[in-house]
Amino acid sequence: MIAKRRLRLGLLSLAAAAGGVVLIMILLQAFSRPALRWRVDLSSGGTAALSDRTAEALAALPEGSEAVAFLFQEERRLEENGSAVYATAFGRLRTLLEDARIRSRGRLGVTVVGVRSSPVEQQAQLQRSRRQPLETLILTTPGGGRRALRFHELFVTSDPTPEGMPARILQERVDTALGDAALRLANQTAPRAGIVGGYGQPAESELMGLLQLLHGEGIDPVSIRGPASDKDFDLLVVVGQQRQFLETDAQAARAWVNAGRPLFLVLGPRAPQAVVDFWNGILEPDHGLRFGAGVVCDARPQAKVYEGTNLVASLELTAAQFATQHPATAHLAESTRLQGVIFCRPIELAGGGVDFARTALASSGARAWADLDQDFAVGPQERRGRQILAASAERWEAADPALSGRVVAYGSPEGLIRYLPLARDFIAPLFRWLLRIETPMGLVAVESLPFRPARAEQIRMTNIAVIAMPGLPLMIALLVFLRRRR
Amino acid sequence: MTAFRALLRRELWSFAISPFSWVLIGFWMLLNGLFFSILLRSADVQSNLGMLPTYLFGSGGLLAFLLLPVIPPLLTLRLFAEEHRLGTLEPLLTAPISDAAVVLAKYVAACLFFLVFWLGVLALFVLLQFYDAPLDWPRILSAFSGALLASALFLAVGLWTSSWGGNLILAAAGGAGVNYMLLFLPAMFSGGTGRTAAVARAMNIPQMLEVGFAAGLIDSYAVLYFPLLALLFLYLTWMRLVSRRWVP
């Protein structure tokens, strides 16, 4: 009788315990639902979580979308001299992807593949996502949409120095890149840039860097023979035009600009005068932009760049040389990253209608000059002074935002061909501004907290942490023990 | 309430006058101090001190993977197992105090005393601050709050295993074993896709510590996860005490 009662009560307590387990599991399952979760970002600068814009873009993705992060250390330079670039970057990526998973409201599955993942898992993910070298984050949708983001599209890093300084993360743009990729995948459309290629412009192979940059910014480049092309595009891009347009293309270009559609025009010092005059004729009356003459040069004796050598045509731009008020350059005006501009024709702000706002986006130093005779030294006809390297114009007010007359004039085709890496952070936001991808560049300064104590300090800290601090409780233990024995 | 307070005071006092507790703290601080010193010499941390909370409190760290699952059961093993072994549990359970109050008083005492362990780790950061190291304090405090919540859970597990019987080794090893299971089992299954992986991800403690608390991001789910699970183990402990009357 007693044994039976004990068994019954034993089973009852087991059932009650199981009930408790089930109840807690149900509660946890309910609280894990993204809709019921809130997150507080305590990190300094509030950069541990994704922005609301990116979270909304992720929540708009089709159900079953996936983000696969490949955390592989592929660039040796980012590991040299004990660099923490990969450790910091991968930590940030893990945090932001977990945030993305939660805030996408279950629409985005996140998989992280690292060197510690099993080889089978690595191989399966590599094949499934068709990963190319250097691709760090790949977003896919069930409909076949795919966006791949390379490491340098997510993080801006410095290089290690021969003096032994390691590479550092200067800035990151994971949030914006993820948001853009999600928007693009959700809409299944991307703005298209029509790149004119029929008038002596650089070949497509030479523009590969620019095409990759556009892809990275979520813009589809479209090759067109001229502005009169019947292909559909949202932005007209003319880089290094060497011959005059045929009449149909000339008319189309004029009509395009007069309609207020966006134009990115890059004419260098080698552009024929007739081409320069044609575009000045279109841009000067209303937009108030014109291409000047010569090559912008600036000597930098402290860097051993002296007048008389063609090195003066390669310019180094610091934060102070960018427009602080313009959305495309404001981030650079606050950054410490130098930009490089090579062999640039000066731009002038001249004339123009009162309904257009004009901005000198980037300028040279105050001792620069526009070299007219190609001797790379200041001549009698050449006056020193700040030269404009790139300028923009847009209407103050426009009924249709897409027709607000946004134009960027830039004087260095070389800067978009061979030397694009020197000015990448300057060029990319210009395209975004022209296409009204209004969010800022999304560069977030990554706070690096270097701490290199002297050897003596390090030894003192170790002694305190390993001997003094543990010694105190051990002493208390001994005292307590002796006292209790007594 | 008076009985609860009296029992809480008694438990706290017995922690304070136990040489074993202080030896545990010394051992804890020695290993943490060693790990801390090694981390401070690594190039990663010297390049960016912001990595320190991630390495110390995140997955892969000595603290989360070696010390945190083991030390709490060692501290709690005496709470029920020793009382059982010495035969003082029966008088306690027949005293005019509810079983729930007994469980709660012992648990709260263990949690409060464990704060001393964490004060030792906090002292390491204060030491760094003393040497003018640039510290991201909000992030460090966020990492600490995660570690505190995790230790509250592991203490509850330790309390439960301590209630299994009078065998101290079983109480300590069982507690550490359950804690390791809580740590590693979900992490093992959270890689794939499907329902199992989703549940495992929702229970992945190293993930919560590393990409949540140690990164400065406090998630409501993680904040609820640890106390709810701790509550479950306290409930199981209470059930064990109650059922002792039926099934000794």
Side-chain angles (χ1 to χ4, degrees), chain A residues 16-345:
Chain A
V21 172
V22 170
L23 178 70
I24 295 293
M25 288 301 143
I26 289 171
L27 278 175
L28 285 176
Q29 198 61 30
F31 289 130
S32 71
R33 280 167 51 201
L36 289 179
R37 285 168 90 154
W38 49 258
R39 315 196 94 203
V40 181
D41 186 356
L42 288 183
S43 62
S44 54
T47 51
L50 293 171
S51 65
D52 289 342
R53 167 192 175 264
T54 299
E56 280 167 26
L58 291 168
L61 281 172
E63 194 98 40
S65 299
E66 257 201 278
V68 185
F70 292 94
L71 307 187
F72 299 147
Q73 305 185 353
E74 290 176 284
E75 288 183 78
R76 276 190 63 84
R77 68 183 181 91
L78 299 182
E79 297 177 78
E80 285 170 15
N81 305 335
S83 168
V85 164
Y86 278 122
T88 312
F90 292 168
R92 290 283 300 141
L93 266 177
R94 281 177 196 275
T95 302
L96 291 173
L97 284 174
E98 176 64 4
D99 199 39
R101 191 181 67 78
I102 292 164
R103 294 175 71 190
S104 68
R105 299 184 183 276
R107 287 172 181 272
L108 184 72
V110 172
T111 308
V112 177
V113 181
V115 283
R116 281 195 235 159
S117 307
S118 76
V120 178
E121 164 86 359
Q122 282 187 31
Q123 206 53 40
Q125 289 296 348
L126 287 170
Q127 281 176 358
R128 224 157 63 91
S129 50
R130 308 191 308 277
R131 179 186 185 258
Q132 298 296 311
L134 299 179
E135 287 179 350
T136 301
L137 186 59
I138 299 174
L139 266 86
T140 51
T141 56
R146 182 181 186 276
R147 281 285 291 132
L149 298 165
R150 291 179 173 79
F151 188 82
H152 68 79
E153 291 175 284
L154 301 169
F155 297 96
V156 180
T157 57
S158 67
D159 285 327
T161 64
E163 294 79 40
M165 286 300 287
R168 269 189 327 118
I169 297 183
L170 300 171
Q171 287 161 320
E172 71 161 62
R173 46 183 161 214
V174 180
D175 181 67
T176 314
L178 202 57
D180 286 351
L183 274 178
R184 193 174 168 193
L185 285 171
N187 297 334
Q188 300 283 319
T189 57
R192 293 152 71 94
I195 299 175
V196 177
Y199 292 92
Q201 284 94 339
E204 201 164 293
S205 58
E206 290 181 279
L207 289 174
M208 202 49 81
L210 178 64
L211 301 183
Q212 279 181 358
L213 178 140
L214 291 172
H215 275 301
E217 294 301 316
I219 301 163
D220 271 343
V222 183
S223 289
I224 51 174
R225 280 205 54 78
S229 166
D230 53 2
K231 287 186 184 167
D232 187 28
F233 52 92
D234 307 292
L235 165 69
L236 184 63
V237 180
V238 181
V239 179
Q241 185 181 343
Q242 292 298 314
R243 291 197 301 272
Q244 274 190 279
F245 281 144
L246 295 175
E247 192 48 37
T248 48
D249 279 326
Q251 277 180 12
R254 203 170 283 120
W256 180 276
V257 175
N258 290 340
R261 305 185 75 184
L263 167 72
F264 188 74
L265 177 62
V266 188
L267 295 179
R270 292 197 187 100
Q273 195 54 43
V275 172
V276 174
D277 290 343
F278 168 77
W279 282 109
N280 282 348
I282 293 178
L283 294 179
E284 200 174 337
D286 289 331
H287 295 77
L289 304 179
R290 59 170 286 124
F291 285 86
V295 183
V296 179
C297 296
D298 196 1
R300 299 187 304 282
Q302 71 278 13
K304 297 192 174 145
V305 175
Y306 301 108
E307 282 183 38
T309 65
N310 62 3
L311 286 176
V312 290
S314 58
L315 310 171
E316 255 184 20
L317 305 188
T318 61
Q321 287 165 258
F322 291 99
T324 52
Q325 300 296 319
H326 198 281
T329 49
H331 71 288
L332 285 172
E334 292 164 5
S335 140
T336 54
R337 193 165 165 83
L338 292 176
Q339 300 290 305
V341 172
I342 310 284
F343 213 56
C344 186
R345 181 187 276 268

Side-chain angles (χ1 to χ4, degrees), chain B residues 3-63:
Chain B
F4 170 81
R5 245 182 283 150
L7 189 57
L8 175 64
R9 240 194 326 266
R10 189 197 89 160
E11 293 299 338
L12 272 175
W13 180 244
S14 60
F15 275 129
I17 58 160
S18 158
F20 179 65
S21 308
W22 292 104
V23 169
L24 265 188
I25 295 178
F27 181 66
W28 163 274
M29 286 183 63
L30 175 70
L31 286 182
N32 271 312
L34 266 175
F35 190 48
F36 196 78
S37 303
I38 292 167
L39 277 180
L40 276 185
R41 282 160 197 254
S42 78
D44 277 12
V45 173
Q46 289 203 350
S47 290
N48 183 8
L49 208 55
M51 297 303 295
L52 192 58
T54 310
Y55 284 156
L56 200 63
F57 298 99
S59 63
L62 179 90
L63 188 60

